[in-house]
Amino acid sequence: LNLAMTWANQCISEFFRQGDMEQAGGLSVSPQCNRDTTFVPTSQVAFIKFVVLPTMEAMGDFLQEVAKNVLPIVLENLQYWQEQEVKELQQHKEKLALLCHSPRSLSRTPSLSMRSRPSSATILPNPDEGGG
């Protein structure tokens, strides 16, 4: 999991730098590159489900070592990101509920825009520090 987290952090950081450069250049920001709208756990779940897992399953059909040693790690990583997704969305719902019930917000309904999603900076916990 630590190695997967290192790579996820590196990739997401690179995507966000690319998005920042695109935005600064007046271009449309590429998918998964906008730090304000990309929900990291969801993007990781999708990447594993639609790219990594099918690739490793196909390789595992021909290479027993992949099926035996790599697929379980991929499935463990997928489970981790699915748990992070649920946890972060629950925390986000709780924050929205507090906003909806605060005296200041009784006269208005909060927007569920992409910007109201959890910050990507808080999505990638260090598993060694009990963050996931």
Side-chain angles (χ1 to χ4, degrees), residues 6 10 16 25 34 38 44 55 59 69-70 75 96 98 114 121:
T6 298
Q10 293 294 325
F16 289 164
N34 189 328
T38 299
Q44 290 298 304
T55 301
M59 288 179 67
N69 297 316
V70 178
L75 293 172
L96 284 176
L98 287 174
M114 295 298 280

Side-chain angles (χ1 to χ4, degrees), residues 47-117:
F47 179 70
I48 293 170
K49 280 185 172 180
F50 298 109
V51 177
V52 177
L53 189 57
T55 301
M56 293 301 115
E57 287 173 335
M59 288 179 67
D61 289 343
F62 297 100
L63 303 168
Q64 288 299 317
E65 291 299 313
V66 171
K68 179 181 169 187
N69 297 316
V70 178
L71 274 175
I73 294 169
V74 170
L75 293 172
E76 177 185 332
N77 289 333
L78 176 60
Q79 180 181 355
Y80 169 80
W81 284 111
Q82 288 171 326
E83 290 168 0
Q84 288 301 307
E85 185 176 37
V86 169
K87 183 172 130 182
E88 293 293 328
L89 288 173
Q90 183 60 38
Q91 289 174 355
H92 183 63
K93 284 181 183 179
E94 290 169 6
K95 287 179 187 176
L96 284 176
L98 287 174
L99 285 173
C100 289
H101 292 96
S102 72
R104 215 177 76 194
S105 66
L106 287 177
S107 62
R108 61 189 163 109
T109 303
S111 169
L112 293 177
S113 71
M114 295 298 280
R115 286 194 179 272
S116 69
R117 295 177 111 177

